[in-house]
Amino acid sequence: MQTLLLLSPEGLASNPGLLIGFGLLTAVAAQTGLALIRSAKRLTQQQQRFNLEMERLQYEVKLAKSRWDLAEQEKASWNGWRKFRVVQKAYECEEVYSFVLQPHDGKPIPAFRPGQYLTFGLEIPGREKQLVRCYSLSSAPSDREYYRVTIKKEKAPPDRPDLPHGVGSGFFVDKVKEGDLLNVKAPAGHFFLETDRETPVVLISAGVGITPVLSMAREIAASGSKRETWFFFVCRNRADYMLKAEVDALASRADNIRVHVCYSRPGKEDVKGRDFHGEGRLNADVLRAVLPSNNYDYFMCGNGSFMKSMYEGLIAWGVPEGKIHYEAFGPATIKKTSDTVTLRKEAAVTAGKAVSVKFGKSGKVFPWNPALLNLLDFARANGLQIDSGCCAGSCGSCSVAIKEGEVEYLVPGANPEAGSCLTCVCRPKSDLVLDA
Ligand SMILES: Cc1cc2nc3c(=O)[nH]c(=O)nc-3n(C[C@H](O)[C@H](O)[C@H](O)COP(=O)(O)OP(=O)(O)OC[C@H]3O[C@@H](n4cnc5c(N)ncnc54)[C@H](O)[C@@H]3O)c2cc1C
């Protein structure tokens, strides 16, 4: 009680010694408190630095491991054709089958990058020449023991029912069976997802265009990456929805992967909210409504008109051209702004000195049309047939010998045979005479 009285304002005022002592004590307590706060702050900062360093190290280890894996697996690659056995042919939906392939020699197969394709040399009874066709891998690189492709039989165009159905896809769907051997080239292609990055991605597909982007999504899930991933897919309805079980598994297994499926013509049994998310076409307006921003890398695959409209919609939304990556299963329908600028420049340069292309076998000569992107399209536009496969300069089936003149390539890394050109990815640099 006496102590309390002494420490009261009146007590302290009447005793200056005590007042000084009390002041000193308060100052020491304040100093100690400040020192404690500072060291707690230092500890928190040290902890944060340690955590960041750990994350950086983990990332470096992951990067080094994936580079090592890739280098190891590239050793298992091959040149030219290798025989693969069809170990499973599985029905997916109307006119679509998946084919699981294992090497006939029983040796390891190289990993591929999700989004790449296989090139097949089909020996079709009744055809003199091998037919070369490319099909994206619908399996994921983590499926180490096998490759899988998923193929839709291409019907004659609705306005030309007189034309034959697709030869290669028809052969796969109607004739190829389990146990058959097929000629296959090693995985190739520039449309793939860099799996050592964590940048957010949007994967977009329509119909059978699902194959390369499903491979990307499955690899993100299998690697345990926390990369923010959006998976948009459109098909007509449930009856057309190939590989559905795998898309459903993605959505339920990985928190960072969100799936949005549109049915353009839902069936009677299809229930919105349960079977699909949106009704109607999948276009950039759907993406704008669903995505929190446009700040993603976009990977898309589908038919020509779908990709063209999606590409234009994304550009109109302000997505930089360099962030949009796509694979065309047929002739290119997207002309990038930069291509158009190059073509315009080129047209300006070649104005006044028209370049001509002579097709040696028929003797026909045509002036080069700078509005066309490559010699293959140019030949077709002039009624000439040249074989083709990947349309990306990889499979070699559109190769034609050059008798005179020079060409230039539109893609990096094109590797034509000496004296020949890959017509799907080059255009004339001077007057040309082709052995076609
Ligand atoms: C990189 C890449 C990846 C691919 N991935 C896949 C995939 O995962 N799954 C898949 O299903 N496909 C994929 N494709 C497409 C595939 O390679 C083939 O292009 C497709 O299967 C059609 O080939 P086809 O031999 O069956 O048709 P083709 O015989 O080449 O015929 C194509 C179309 O032309 C029509 N046609 C026939 N004759 C004429 C004529 N005289 N005039 C005009 N039209 C005619 C046919 O009816 C058909 O509609 C991919 C293509 C590429 C380049």
Side-chain angles (χ1 to χ4, degrees):
M1 184 65 183
Q2 213 175 5
T3 318
L4 277 179
L5 276 175
L6 278 174
L7 289 177
S8 71
E10 295 79 23
L12 285 173
S14 64
N15 189 338
L18 203 62
L19 183 62
I20 292 166
F22 185 75
L24 279 173
L25 262 178
T26 317
V28 169
Q31 284 288 351
T32 316
L34 272 174
L36 277 173
I37 291 170
R38 273 197 216 108
S39 67
K41 254 189 179 167
R42 239 193 335 267
L43 272 176
T44 318
Q45 280 169 350
Q46 273 173 358
Q47 183 66 44
Q48 278 169 347
R49 265 204 298 275
F50 177 77
N51 288 348
L52 275 175
E53 188 58 17
M54 282 304 286
E55 265 177 40
R56 196 184 64 77
L57 278 174
Q58 276 168 356
Y59 177 74
E60 298 272 315
V61 169
K62 197 174 154 195
L63 200 66
K65 188 178 172 306
S66 69
R67 285 194 183 134
W68 189 82
D69 278 356
L70 209 66
E72 275 303 292
Q73 283 144 5
E74 271 167 8
K75 283 188 203 156
S77 195
W78 71 95
N79 282 322
W81 300 116
R82 183 173 173 189
K83 292 276 180 210
F84 274 70
R85 184 176 298 282
V86 178
V87 292
Q88 194 191 3
K89 177 177 180 181
Y91 175 84
E92 298 292 352
C93 62
E94 203 194 332
E95 309 281 25
V96 181
Y97 282 82
S98 282
F99 299 82
V100 176
L101 309 163
Q102 282 184 325
H104 183 50
D105 57 23
K107 293 185 180 154
I109 48 171
F112 58 94
R113 294 167 178 236
Q116 288 192 308
Y117 59 82
L118 293 178
T119 302
F120 292 84
L122 303 173
E123 281 151 16
I124 302 179
R127 284 184 74 93
E128 260 178 45
K129 279 199 328 198
Q130 208 179 46
L131 184 78
V132 178
R133 288 289 178 265
C134 301
Y135 293 98
S136 299
L137 284 143
S138 61
S139 48
S142 48
D143 304 322
R144 292 283 170 91
E145 306 296 313
Y146 62 87
Y147 293 143
R148 184 186 67 179
V149 290
T150 302
I151 299 178
K152 181 182 170 101
K153 180 170 165 180
E154 196 159 319
K155 301 262 187 70
D159 57 335
R160 293 292 312 273
D162 53 308
L163 290 173
H165 296 319
V167 180
S169 56
F171 177 69
F172 264 102
V173 166
D174 298 334
K175 303 281 184 225
V176 171
K177 53 189 188 318
E178 288 175 8
D180 284 357
L181 291 179
L182 299 171
N183 302 310
V184 183
K185 279 191 185 171
H190 305 289
F191 176 70
F192 58 78
L193 185 78
E194 302 273 10
T195 44
D196 51 11
R197 297 203 185 145
E198 286 293 315
T199 43
V201 287
V202 179
L203 311 175
I204 311 164
S205 58
V208 76
I210 194 173
T211 50
V213 293
L214 178 65
S215 177
M216 294 177 186
R218 283 197 46 214
E219 190 58 16
I220 290 173
S223 67
S225 158
K226 291 284 160 251
R227 196 171 192 172
E228 181 188 342
T229 305
W230 291 83
F231 188 93
F232 288 88
F233 173 63
V234 62
C235 59
R236 246 179 322 174
N237 49 46
R238 174 71 189 87
D240 249 14
Y241 193 166
M242 64 197 80
L243 303 161
K244 180 177 187 303
E246 286 175 38
V247 178
D248 289 346
L250 280 178
S252 61
R253 213 174 55 198
D255 294 340
N256 53 318
I257 303 183
R258 266 154 287 183
V259 173
H260 186 96
V261 175
C262 294
Y263 281 179
S264 57
R265 259 181 280 157
K268 281 193 195 109
E269 309 286 301
D270 297 327
V271 179
K272 189 170 170 182
R274 186 194 68 186
D275 302 310
F276 62 100
H277 306 89
E279 184 171 344
R281 292 154 67 95
L282 172 58
N283 53 28
D285 290 340
V286 176
L287 269 63
R288 286 172 99 135
V290 175
L291 293 174
S293 80
N294 68 355
N295 193 14
Y296 293 87
D297 267 303
Y298 296 79
F299 290 81
M300 60 175 178
C301 187
N303 61 51
S305 58
F306 167 79
M307 297 236 288
K308 188 168 183 293
S309 107
M310 185 61 82
Y311 181 83
E312 289 168 358
L314 291 176
I315 293 287
W317 190 20
V319 177
E321 200 177 81
K323 286 191 150 239
I324 311 174
H325 317 270
Y326 52 84
E327 178 92 285
F329 280 1
T333 48
I334 294 173
K335 283 212 174 90
K336 286 195 167 186
T337 322
S338 50
D339 288 339
T340 317
V341 171
T342 318
L343 284 170
R344 276 207 206 107
K345 275 194 200 148
E346 187 196 66
V349 171
T350 50
K353 65 165 190 112
V355 173
S356 70
V357 181
K358 181 171 177 179
F359 292 92
K361 285 186 180 157
S362 60
K364 290 183 179 167
V365 185
F366 302 100
W368 168 247
N369 176 359
L372 293 175
L373 280 181
N374 57 60
L375 276 168
L376 181 68
D377 288 352
F378 176 71
R380 286 179 178 163
N382 287 299
L384 287 136
Q385 281 310 315
I386 294 181
D387 284 347
S388 68
C390 67
C391 296
S394 300
C395 74
S397 51
C398 67
S399 176
V400 166
I402 302 176
K403 289 179 143 179
E404 280 170 38
E406 271 184 278
V407 296
E408 63 183 345
Y409 283 91
L410 308 157
V411 293
N415 188 16
E417 279 178 22
S420 296
C421 64
L422 297 167
T423 54
C424 72
V425 284
C426 74
R427 61 187 171 201
K429 214 173 158 184
S430 65
D431 286 344
L432 264 188
V433 181
L434 295 177
D435 187 26

